Amino acid sequence: MCWGVLFLLGGGFALAKALQSSGLSSLLVLQLTRMNLTSLPAWLASLLFSFVTVAITNIASNTATANVFVPILAEMAITMCINPIFLTLPAGIACSYAFALPVSTAPNAIVFGHSTMKTTDMLKAGMVMNLICVSVLILAINTYGVPLFGLNEFPDWAAQAHENVTFCDL
């Protein structure tokens, strides 16, 4: 067993638990609510948060990014009265779109280290790949993802976590 991988995964899980238990994730959701992001249409919020996730995952660990963003987005979705899967699934998948920088993933670093390409070359190709992948992801979640996962319904399990569930159209 590679200890580096174990520490990376464990650190990501510990960070996510610390965000929840300290109340920082709730504070972030409150700040996002104050920025009036809850009034965005669900598809636009999904697009925005997917791009933010891709930007962060290009400079941080994929696991840590997912462990930090998914609980925050789940709480944000509940606040917006939309199915939490609508925001968390695209963000979770977008954590794998680390194409732009050598630091993004170990394979990127290996390829960069054994080639003659510059960081700007990798950045240009990676940004195009990120744009294409996020576009396909958002198209998929808004077309066949809606009936497949029942995303147009606010689930009962999410309603139990919502303080003001009467404000949601159930």
Side-chain angles (χ1 to χ4, degrees), residues 20-137:
Q20 286 178 325
S21 63
S22 70
L24 183 58
S25 63
S26 298
L27 181 66
L28 287 172
V29 169
L30 181 65
Q31 293 301 320
L32 291 171
T33 304
R34 287 186 180 158
M35 292 172 58
N36 207 19
L37 291 179
T38 54
S39 65
L40 292 176
W43 70 270
L44 188 58
S46 182
L47 178 70
L48 175 70
F49 291 126
S50 293
F51 273 117
V52 169
T53 303
V54 166
I56 298 298
T57 201
N58 275 303
I59 57 172
S61 159
N62 299 357
T63 306
T65 303
N67 282 326
V68 168
F69 273 95
V70 169
I72 291 170
L73 292 178
E75 195 170 335
M76 184 74 179
I78 291 170
T79 303
M80 294 172 69
C81 295
I82 61 174
N83 192 324
I85 296 172
F86 202 88
L87 294 182
T88 58
L89 182 65
I93 293 171
C95 286
S96 299
Y97 296 163
F99 306 125
L101 295 172
V103 73
S104 302
T105 63
N108 287 9
I110 291 168
V111 169
F112 182 77
H114 293 290
S115 69
T116 59
M117 76 172 68
K118 300 176 192 164
T119 304
T120 54
D121 298 333
M122 198 168 187
L123 187 63
K124 289 175 192 173
M127 288 303 188
V128 170
M129 287 296 300
N130 285 338
L131 184 62
I132 292 169
C133 288
V134 170
S135 299
V136 169
L137 177 65

